[in-house]
Amino acid sequence: MQFRLKEGVLDKAKQLTGCTSDEQLGQRHLNKSGSTLRNWRSGKTAPDIASLMMLRRLSGISIEEMMYETYEKVA
């Protein structure tokens, strides 16, 4: 079982913060690199709880609504 970030969460956070790239959002608001955010987008990795809490504050989306569960193996 894996948890992944739903599509659109990072875009909503970028829109609301005025960031134009994953790199900007990661560096300015999440203390993460752009490549980390791209890995979240692609489902390679999932955000840690601290990052989820910050994304909740930035996007207004609840943690339950921003994540989904999958049984696929992550490469």
Side-chain angles (χ1 to χ4, degrees), residues 47-60:
D48 57 39
I49 191 67
S51 297
L52 287 172
M53 295 297 288
M54 183 55 72
L55 281 169
R56 181 180 59 83
R57 286 188 206 112
L58 294 173
S59 69

Side-chain angles (χ1 to χ4, degrees), residues 3-34:
F3 290 94
R4 295 189 180 164
L5 195 63
K6 286 184 180 175
E7 190 176 322
V9 173
L10 294 175
D11 293 331
K12 178 79 170 180
K14 283 177 16 183
Q15 177 189 21
L16 292 172
T17 60
C19 293
T20 58
S21 69
D22 288 344
E23 193 75 35
Q24 279 184 344
L25 180 65
Q27 289 179 354
R28 291 182 184 174
H29 300 283
L30 299 168
N31 198 29
K32 302 289 181 188
S33 68

Side-chain angles (χ1 to χ4, degrees), residues 30-42:
L30 299 168
N31 198 29
K32 302 289 181 188
S33 68
S35 63
T36 297
L37 272 64
R38 288 186 291 279
N39 284 335
W40 295 350
R41 274 188 193 280
S42 69

Side-chain angles (χ1 to χ4, degrees), residues 1-4 67-71:
M1 172 174 44
Q2 301 288 326
F3 290 94
R4 295 189 180 164
M67 299 296 291
Y68 71 96
E69 187 176 357
T70 181
Y71 292 94

